Amino acid sequence: MKKFILTAVAAAMLCGLCSCGQDAASESTEQTSAATTTEAEVTTEAVPTNEELIAAAKKLFAVYSDYIDMQCGKLLTDEDSVITVDTEFGELEFERVLRYDSVEDLRAHFREYFTENVFEDIDLLDEEDRYESLLFHEQDGKLYYHSSRDESWYGDGFFDGYTILSADESHFTFRRLGEFSSQCADVSCVKEDGKWKIDHVEEADIDEEDYEAPTRSDFEEFFDDIPDDADLTAMHIDYDNANVVFDKPVDELSDVTLMTAAKPLHYIACGVGYAIDAGWYPWVAYMDYDTRLPESEYNVSDYPKSIYEDDPPGFYLITNVNTKEEAIAEYYKTFSDKYPYPEKLDRLMKEYDGRLYGKNGGIERSEAEGYEGSEMISFDGRDGDEFRFTVRDHYDGHDEDREFTAVMGDDGVWRIGKYTLPY
């Protein structure tokens, strides 16, 4: 990923957003859990086509990836609801699991997608088979979870494609491809009660020297839940300027393709917006942390100084621009100038001795308890150069629909228009 995208993601993570990513992988990724996949999505007809099997394979392996990734922290929890438990590994903190109140509730969910053979191969929910970094604790009718949260081990990052190896009416086997042959898996599936389920997973027997990983589009690199009927040849992501460039006439594209094009823009908008709202200069990748503004003291009156008595936030040299005007021009490479930039952005920059410095160090920005991510649910039409969408923000127990727009510039580029940060 290029600098800007990394920075937008970093800004989101600084403010606890990492799932505004919209759907992260079951999606499967963005901070969502495999629990979001429905049974209907993996059901096929008696005589499946290759296309149907690949669709089923994607959904099933998304659930399997989330199951395996529980070893390293991938489970939707309320990080503000924490208990401390004395375990055989010492005192550990456990976070309350959202959507499930017991290990058996969680096991029942995965039984919708796996046969019992999968649990015999690796049962992460069994008391005796749990890893040291994966523990559950049930208390007062609630389920709590402890993990090391090592996202570098998440399997989603290795995803690269699927191919069907064999199939009949009641069985099929697919190969999940990875960046390297060692990341490929052969997955056997059977049909139970009219639904496909994973029966066995094993490492694919592939010669590393002969293996060629399939290429992925910009959008597949960004998200793992791209609809099969989205035309990914119609547009690409400009990573340097963090916008979307169209390679085909927009008027000829389907609603699904337009929604796919809008997804990374919404993700970037939330990442940048959260950083600004919390008091951080959003493009931290362009900061020189060895060069701090000499008289830098806490002087942003919006936030109480008591938060930073020991280590007040500083202003650090911005390396890619020298003035506020140049920084705002950079902002409008990603956001449409049809709308004013946030006033708070001005207070995150200081000019000194012919150079520009940006604030690094904000506040703990509060979010609504139980925020679970966002998804693009509809394309609602266009008004001239502005394309309107509905984004649904998911919270524990309720959803909220927000308007999001992308504005087409004279250069044929989509930039961010209206957006609302999840709270």
Side-chain angles (χ1 to χ4, degrees):
M1 294 290 183
K2 299 289 179 64
K3 271 189 176 181
F4 193 108
I5 297 299
L6 285 173
T7 304
V9 174
M13 293 177 67
L14 286 171
C15 305
L17 181 67
C18 200
S19 70
C20 187
Q22 272 359 36
D23 327 277
S26 51
E27 295 219 285
S28 157
T29 94
E30 100 308 276
Q31 266 229 329
T32 59
S33 153
T36 58
T37 308
T38 63
E39 297 176 33
E41 289 176 310
V42 297
T43 302
T44 63
E45 299 297 329
V47 182
T49 65
N50 195 69
E51 185 178 70
E52 289 174 321
L53 291 175
I54 289 179
K58 289 181 178 180
K59 299 298 182 181
L60 288 168
F61 203 84
V63 177
Y64 183 77
S65 292
D66 284 345
Y67 176 71
I68 296 300
D69 287 341
M70 285 197 304
Q71 299 173 63
C72 47
K74 190 168 189 178
L75 187 63
L76 196 61
T77 61
D78 178 0
E79 298 180 21
D80 294 325
S81 182
V82 179
I83 61 173
T84 301
V85 180
D86 188 11
T87 75
E88 60 184 299
F89 308 114
E91 286 193 347
L92 298 177
E93 289 188 343
F94 289 72
E95 297 173 0
R96 180 184 166 187
V97 176
L98 298 174
R99 296 188 178 141
Y100 303 99
D101 293 328
S102 68
V103 170
E104 284 309 306
D105 285 348
L106 192 54
R107 187 188 296 277
H109 162 71
F110 286 114
R111 279 198 176 106
E112 298 294 333
Y113 307 95
F114 308 154
T115 68
E116 291 303 314
N117 289 337
V118 174
F119 296 111
E120 290 180 7
D121 289 339
I122 177 170
D123 193 346
L124 300 178
L125 301 172
D126 184 81
E127 183 70 38
E128 295 182 359
D129 291 346
R130 295 174 194 162
Y131 291 81
E132 179 175 345
S133 61
L134 174 67
L135 295 171
F136 289 98
H137 181 79
E138 296 181 31
Q139 180 173 306
D140 299 328
K142 303 296 181 183
L143 180 63
Y144 293 83
Y145 172 67
H146 166 81
S147 171
S148 61
R149 257 203 189 85
D150 185 355
E151 297 185 14
S152 67
W153 286 95
Y154 285 2
D156 309 296
F158 300 131
F159 165 82
D160 239 327
Y162 297 91
T163 184
I164 304 301
L165 301 180
S166 64
D168 59 32
E169 291 84 355
S170 57
H171 302 79
F172 82 97
T173 301
F174 67 88
R175 177 165 292 168
R176 179 264 202 175
L177 305 176
E179 183 178 356
F180 306 103
S181 63
S182 60
Q183 297 164 356
C184 297
D186 288 345
V187 183
S188 301
C189 303
V190 299
K191 185 174 286 187
E192 287 188 357
D193 301 323
K195 297 188 295 289
W196 289 116
K197 295 185 178 182
I198 291 179
D199 189 56
H200 182 64
V201 180
E202 63 182 4
E203 183 178 338
D205 184 14
I206 301 175
D207 188 338
E208 180 67 51
E209 294 182 358
D210 297 332
Y211 181 65
E212 293 184 11
T215 58
R216 306 182 72 194
S217 73
D218 292 339
F219 290 86
E220 289 169 314
E221 291 285 353
F222 210 92
F223 297 106
D224 285 326
D225 65 330
I226 302 298
D228 293 334
D229 51 349
D231 183 0
L232 301 183
T233 67
M235 65 274 183
H236 66 273
I237 300 173
D238 180 346
Y239 288 112
D240 291 325
N241 298 315
N243 51 42
V244 173
V245 181
F246 286 90
D247 304 308
K248 293 183 180 179
V250 175
D251 292 339
E252 300 176 3
L253 303 181
S254 67
D255 290 2
V256 170
T257 300
L258 295 176
M259 290 167 60
T260 300
K263 288 180 66 173
L265 291 181
H266 180 262
Y267 183 63
I268 294 166
C270 287
V272 174
Y274 263 84
I276 294 174
D277 200 51
W280 296 76
Y281 182 74
W283 300 290
V284 293
Y286 296 106
M287 279 186 174
D288 176 3
Y289 293 104
D290 293 327
T291 308
R292 182 166 173 157
L293 187 66
E295 67 267 25
S296 180
E297 295 180 359
Y298 192 88
N299 53 11
V300 182
S301 60
D302 292 10
Y303 313 119
K305 185 174 181 178
S306 60
I307 297 176
Y308 294 107
E309 287 180 351
D310 296 330
D311 185 23
F315 287 78
Y316 295 87
L317 180 67
I318 299 172
T319 59
N320 65 321
V321 293
N322 294 319
T323 66
K324 286 187 177 182
E325 289 74 18
E326 291 176 355
I328 299 304
E330 290 294 311
Y331 173 91
Y332 281 127
K333 290 181 178 179
T334 302
F335 293 80
S336 171
D337 60 8
K338 189 172 184 177
Y339 296 96
Y341 66 87
E343 292 183 3
K344 191 177 289 186
L345 180 58
D346 279 323
R347 299 197 294 274
L348 305 180
M349 299 181 287
K350 287 184 177 295
E351 294 181 7
Y352 175 82
D353 197 22
R355 301 301 300 272
L356 184 66
Y357 293 76
K359 181 169 173 281
N360 184 278
I363 62 172
E364 282 292 328
R365 182 187 184 280
S366 61
E367 297 177 42
E369 181 178 348
Y371 172 64
E372 299 174 359
S374 304
E375 65 174 322
M376 190 80 55
I377 64 170
S378 67
F379 168 58
D380 304 323
R382 62 183 293 183
D383 298 318
D385 62 352
E386 194 158 12
F387 294 72
R388 295 179 288 105
F389 302 87
T390 295
V391 171
R392 180 161 294 164
D393 297 331
H394 297 292
Y395 299 87
D396 184 21
H398 75 285
D399 298 329
E400 294 184 21
D401 290 350
R402 319 277 196 181
E403 182 182 24
F404 176 77
T405 69
V407 180
M408 176 73 80
D410 295 336
D411 52 2
V413 172
W414 263 11
R415 295 178 176 85
I416 298 162
K418 297 179 184 177
Y419 70 96
T420 303
L421 294 178
Y423 285 93

